[in-house]
């Protein structure tokens, strides 16, 4: 007869603690009665486990409340609240041009934010130093110590598998494996969780952006190059080695041809127009002696410049083809356009939607992200919070609350 491991009292206590913590972490103040109703646990179990969580620092007990009118007079209800100050997490976006770092409490509320440019960075070690300086800045601004940080999520523009490893058998992607996560852990002691930037953007949108309550989702980062994060039934898609959603296939798509994003295409097409002295465009005045930027192309188009309007129409058609391929392959409910050009991309939506309907009979809804330059770092915060929630009962707290 096979031996079957029994559910021992300590194991049951742990399971029940995780259940209560999951409820409290997403709720406000709750009474013991409310927790009984939410979890199905007995009153004795709820109070015993809450006492454990209070002792560990995850939960605080508030002054007793008064029962609702009409209920029997008796002892006031115990009231419990998740201790969002029990620790902090970091969300770090390591982009091509800069890093953005968020420090958040355990409800995901931003405590501090900073950004640093990679303009003078030449080596992976220098990049790590810039990221670490940004981390130190947000910790210093918030008065938070390393011991109070429970985890950090980090986003990079490379395929990352389910275990947090960058695809290493491709020379191009190996360049992104700069040892950042190992170095940050060595310097600070907390776990650093690596993930693809577009995947984190999908987590961020699903949690705090345009895709709340949407479980079949694509987020398209559309700045310098296209990258997509995919969510199916509320779970990220990684593929066997982290390559799900990679956009290299666009080289094979007629009318697209490469992975250049909206910002890069606008800049390059604007520069091409200015290179022809016969072309009349207000971009010449807007750029002066400087280089053309995507922002200037969008600004000129908003003022009615025909050349700039033509560039944006071309970009809208190209982007519609990209969205159509994603819509056909993954059949999402919603595609969110994010990245540095998200705000400006609102002007493209009518034309994108018009052309999208000609490429597929089941076009997804299209929206523009409202998270701005924090889209990846917000997702990185969510990634770190997922880790904390999963390992909560094994973490040592150095809490204030």
């Amino acid at each position: 007869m096979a031996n079957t491991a029994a559910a021992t009292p300590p194991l049951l206590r742990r399971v029940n603690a995780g259940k209560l913590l999951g409820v409290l972490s997403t709720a406000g103040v709750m009474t013991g009665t409310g927790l009984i109703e939410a979890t199905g646990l007995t009153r004795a179990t709820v109070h015993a486990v809450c006492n454990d969580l209070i002792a560990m620092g995850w939960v605080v007990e508030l002054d007793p409340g008064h029962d609702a009118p009409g209920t029997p007079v008796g002892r006031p209800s115990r009231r419990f609240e998740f201790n969002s100050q029990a620790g902090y997490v970091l969300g770090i976006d390591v982009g091509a041009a800069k890093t953005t770092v968020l420090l958040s409490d355990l409800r995901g509320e931003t405590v501090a934010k900073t950004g640093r440019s990679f303009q003078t960075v030449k080596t992976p070690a220098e990049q790590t130093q810039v990221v670490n300086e940004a981390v130190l800045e947000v910790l210093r601004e918030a008065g938070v110590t390393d011991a109070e940080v429970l985890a950090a999520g980090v986003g990079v523009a490379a395929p990352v598998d389910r275990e947090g490893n960058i695809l290493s058998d491709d020379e191009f992607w190996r360049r992104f494996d700069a040892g950042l996560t190992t170095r940050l852990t060595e310097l600070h002691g907390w776990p650093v969780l690596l993930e693809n930037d577009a995947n984190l953007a999908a987590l961020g949108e699903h949690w705090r952006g345009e895709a709340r309550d949407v479980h079949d989702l694509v987020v398209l980062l559309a700045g310098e190059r296209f990258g997509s994060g995919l969510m199916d039934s509320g779970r990220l898609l990684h593929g066997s080695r982290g390559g799900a959603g990679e956009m290299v296939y666009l080289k094979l798509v007629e009318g697209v041809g490469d992975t250049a994003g909206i910002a890069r295409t606008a800049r390059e097409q604007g520069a091409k127009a200015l290179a022809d002295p016969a072309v009349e465009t207000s971009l010449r005045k807007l750029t002066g002696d400087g280089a053309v930027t995507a922002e200037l192309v969008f600004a000129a188009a908003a003022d009615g410049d025909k050349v700039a309007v033509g560039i944006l129409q071309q970009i809208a058609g190209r982007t519609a083809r990209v969205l159509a391929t994603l819509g056909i392959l993954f059949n999402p409910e919603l595609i969110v356009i994010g990245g540095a050009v998200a705000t400006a991309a609102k002007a493209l939506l009518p034309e994108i939607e018009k052309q999208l309907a000609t490429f597929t009979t089941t076009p997804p809804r299209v929206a523009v992200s409202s998270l701005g330059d924090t889209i990846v770092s917000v997702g990185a915060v969510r990634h770190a919070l997922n880790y904390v929630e999963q390992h909560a009962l094994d973490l040592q707290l150095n809490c204030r609350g």
Side-chain angles (χ1 to χ4, degrees), residues 267 270-271 274 283-293 296:
R267 183 176 66 248
L274 291 181
L283 282 171
R284 296 191 190 282
K285 183 177 180 181
L286 290 174
T287 57
D289 295 329
V292 64
T293 64
L296 291 177

Side-chain angles (χ1 to χ4, degrees), residues 97 117-121:
S117 172
F118 290 142
Q119 186 173 2
T120 61
V121 167

Side-chain angles (χ1 to χ4, degrees), residues 172-204:
F172 177 77
W173 297 123
R174 276 202 296 270
R175 301 174 190 173
F176 291 85
D177 192 2
L180 174 65
T181 56
T182 300
R183 184 58 179 152
L184 288 179
T185 298
E186 289 173 349
L187 289 171
H188 301 281
W190 18 262
V192 181
L193 316 165
L194 196 67
E195 181 56 275
N196 172 261
D197 58 352
N199 282 350
L200 292 182
L203 278 182

Side-chain angles (χ1 to χ4, degrees), residues 29 31 61-67 74-80:
V29 177
T31 63
E61 184 170 3
L62 306 179
D63 293 335
H66 297 287
D67 293 325
R75 181 182 302 175
S77 300
R78 295 180 70 186
R79 300 191 304 153
F80 306 99

Side-chain angles (χ1 to χ4, degrees), residues 20-21 24-25 27-32 35 46-47 49-65 77-87 106-107 397 399-401:
L20 283 168
L21 200 56
L24 284 164
S25 65
V29 177
M30 296 194 70
T31 63
L35 289 171
V46 164
H47 287 287
V49 174
C50 279
N51 289 339
D52 290 344
L53 293 172
I54 290 168
M56 295 173 67
W58 286 109
V59 172
V60 293
E61 184 170 3
L62 306 179
D63 293 335
S77 300
R78 295 180 70 186
R79 300 191 304 153
F80 306 99
E81 185 177 27
F82 178 69
N83 182 12
S84 62
Q85 306 280 294
L106 296 186
R107 287 198 187 276
L397 301 180
C399 56
R400 310 172 177 191

Side-chain angles (χ1 to χ4, degrees), residues 117-370:
S117 172
F118 290 142
Q119 186 173 2
T120 61
V121 167
K122 297 180 181 179
T123 67
E126 290 176 346
Q127 183 189 65
T128 298
Q129 182 179 346
V130 171
V131 173
N132 189 54
E133 288 171 354
V135 167
L136 291 173
E137 181 179 334
V138 295
L139 294 178
R140 184 168 57 249
E141 179 182 334
V144 170
T145 66
D146 277 339
E148 294 175 288
V149 176
L150 300 180
V154 177
V156 293
V160 179
D161 65 20
R162 296 181 185 89
E163 284 70 47
N165 302 307
I166 291 177
L167 183 63
S168 59
D169 56 356
D170 184 288
E171 176 60 32
F172 177 77
W173 297 123
R174 276 202 296 270
R175 301 174 190 173
F176 291 85
D177 192 2
L180 174 65
T181 56
T182 300
R183 184 58 179 152
L184 288 179
T185 298
E186 289 173 349
L187 289 171
H188 301 281
W190 18 262
V192 181
L193 316 165
L194 196 67
E195 181 56 275
N196 172 261
D197 58 352
N199 282 350
L200 292 182
L203 278 182
E205 286 295 330
H206 183 63
W207 180 41
R208 291 283 173 88
E210 301 299 310
R212 278 174 280 197
D213 301 322
V214 175
H215 302 301
D216 296 292
L217 166 71
V218 172
V219 172
L220 181 70
L221 294 182
E224 286 300 300
R225 57 182 294 273
F226 286 123
S228 66
L230 313 174
M231 187 170 282
D232 180 73
S233 300
R235 296 191 301 176
L236 288 178
L237 292 182
H238 287 89
S240 62
R241 292 185 296 165
E246 284 303 313
M247 309 295 283
V248 180
Y249 76 89
L250 293 177
K251 296 178 180 179
L252 308 176
V253 177
E254 183 181 355
V256 181
D258 57 37
T259 62
I262 292 174
R264 178 179 168 185
T265 303
R267 183 176 66 248
E268 291 179 348
Q269 291 299 315
K272 182 179 178 181
L274 291 181
D276 184 349
V279 172
E280 296 183 5
T281 171
S282 62
L283 282 171
R284 296 191 190 282
K285 183 177 180 181
L286 290 174
T287 57
D289 295 329
V292 64
T293 64
E295 291 77 11
L296 291 177
V297 174
F298 277 96
D303 288 337
D305 181 84
K306 292 183 179 180
V307 171
V309 168
I311 291 172
L312 294 195
Q313 287 178 335
Q314 177 187 349
I315 289 173
R318 184 171 178 271
T319 304
R321 288 173 180 267
V322 175
L323 297 185
T325 62
L326 292 168
I328 293 168
L329 289 170
F330 301 106
N331 192 220
E333 176 184 343
L334 174 68
I335 297 179
V336 178
I337 299 173
V341 296
T343 301
K346 286 183 179 179
L348 303 176
L349 275 186
E351 185 64 22
I352 287 175
E353 291 171 336
K354 177 183 175 181
Q355 296 203 35
L356 182 59
T358 69
F359 296 131
T360 171
T361 57
T362 57
R365 288 194 295 116
V366 183
V368 170
S369 174
S370 58

